[in-house]
Amino acid sequence: MIDSAGCSAAIKRKYGVSVRPQWLEKCASHIEAELADNASGAHLEVQTRLAIEQLLHSEISESCFPVLAVDSQQQVTRLPAGTGAFLQIQEIMDVGISKHAMWEAVREKEAFEQRGVRPSYLPDLDDDNDSSGVFTASTQNNATQAPPESGQASGEREPKIPHSMLKLVLTDGQTRVSALELTPIPQLHVELPIGTKVLVKSGRFLQPTGVLILDASGIQVLGGAPAQYKQFTLRSRLRSYLDQTRAAAAAP
């Protein structure tokens, strides 16, 4: 039997967020299925680790109660005290680089990958990979592993996507807040999957816009890749933007 109350309390202590009972019930069923006959004997620490894996790959509006408070203007002006704000990346794009330049960088990287071995940080090409809805530690590690410095035995260096200044839209499942990095934050990169979870511990809000300014010491990327956002890759987002731009330019 899974200790749902214990897992919920451990998540609250770690991330400062309360999980929804309905989601926790489904999560417990997944954990019991994964542990099979060992569920009753699994230590709470193991159960919590598996619950956190499910949490990171969940849709935040379904799994968590909101943590952001808004003022009378419906703006977020401060972060929760203590652990910080457990949030989900809903949008991410580099606003310091032209979309055309980024598109060319993506194509160059794809060409490199087609010439050699598929980098280990990318998910498997198996279309059924996410069909079970259950994620394991190995899945999580593959999703968050940093790109290798070199991907070919020949010494050819893997092309990198430029990193200038990222703009993000973060959400607690109810409220959205725009965020900006003024200097590059190593943990953040434009290829992070939509739905990635982050813990924002500190930052300052610009008034009157309400934009949250991020710094490297105030944010922790936790990982996660909800299946419903799988199609929103950097390539697909860039292509959609460029198609819209071309359509607008061609309009009379």
Side-chain angles (χ1 to χ4, degrees), residues 120-140:
S120 60
Y121 67 90
L122 292 177
D124 293 336
L125 291 175
D126 183 2
D127 290 335
D128 296 330
N129 207 34
D130 295 322
S131 60
S132 66
V134 178
F135 297 86
T136 64
S138 61
T139 305
Q140 169 69 8

Side-chain angles (χ1 to χ4, degrees), residues 89-139:
I89 295 178
Q90 210 63 29
E91 299 176 21
I92 182 168
M93 187 54 70
D94 200 314
V95 295
I97 301 169
S98 77
K99 304 298 186 296
H100 291 280
M102 198 174 301
W103 174 254
E104 290 304 317
V106 168
R107 292 184 62 186
E108 182 180 353
K109 188 173 183 179
E110 287 177 345
F112 171 88
E113 291 167 359
Q114 289 170 3
R115 293 195 299 272
V117 178
R118 186 173 175 80
S120 60
Y121 67 90
L122 292 177
D124 293 336
L125 291 175
D126 183 2
D127 290 335
D128 296 330
N129 207 34
D130 295 322
S131 60
S132 66
V134 178
F135 297 86
T136 64
S138 61
T139 305

Side-chain angles (χ1 to χ4, degrees), residues 133-236:
V134 178
F135 297 86
T136 64
S138 61
T139 305
Q140 169 69 8
N141 290 339
N142 286 340
T144 58
Q145 185 177 351
E149 286 299 314
S150 178
Q152 297 241 340
S154 64
E156 182 183 0
R157 200 165 181 81
E158 180 182 349
K160 299 294 183 183
I161 304 298
H163 185 168
S164 177
M165 184 170 66
L166 296 177
K167 181 178 181 181
L168 304 88
V169 174
L170 304 173
T171 182
D172 64 355
Q174 177 175 287
T175 302
R176 291 189 174 203
V177 59
S178 294
L180 194 68
E181 57 164 16
L182 295 185
T183 57
I185 298 174
Q187 289 189 69
L188 296 176
H189 56 89
V190 74
E191 293 180 281
L192 282 174
I194 300 300
T196 294
K197 305 301 185 294
V198 297
L199 190 64
V200 182
K201 304 174 184 178
S202 64
R204 59 188 177 90
F205 289 92
L206 294 182
Q207 302 302 329
T209 61
V211 173
L212 174 63
I213 302 301
L214 301 170
D215 62 77
S217 63
I219 187 169
Q220 179 183 359
V221 176
L222 304 174
Q228 57 265 52
Y229 298 117
K230 182 179 179 180
Q231 70 272 30
F232 298 114
T233 61
L234 175 59
R235 188 185 202 283
S236 69

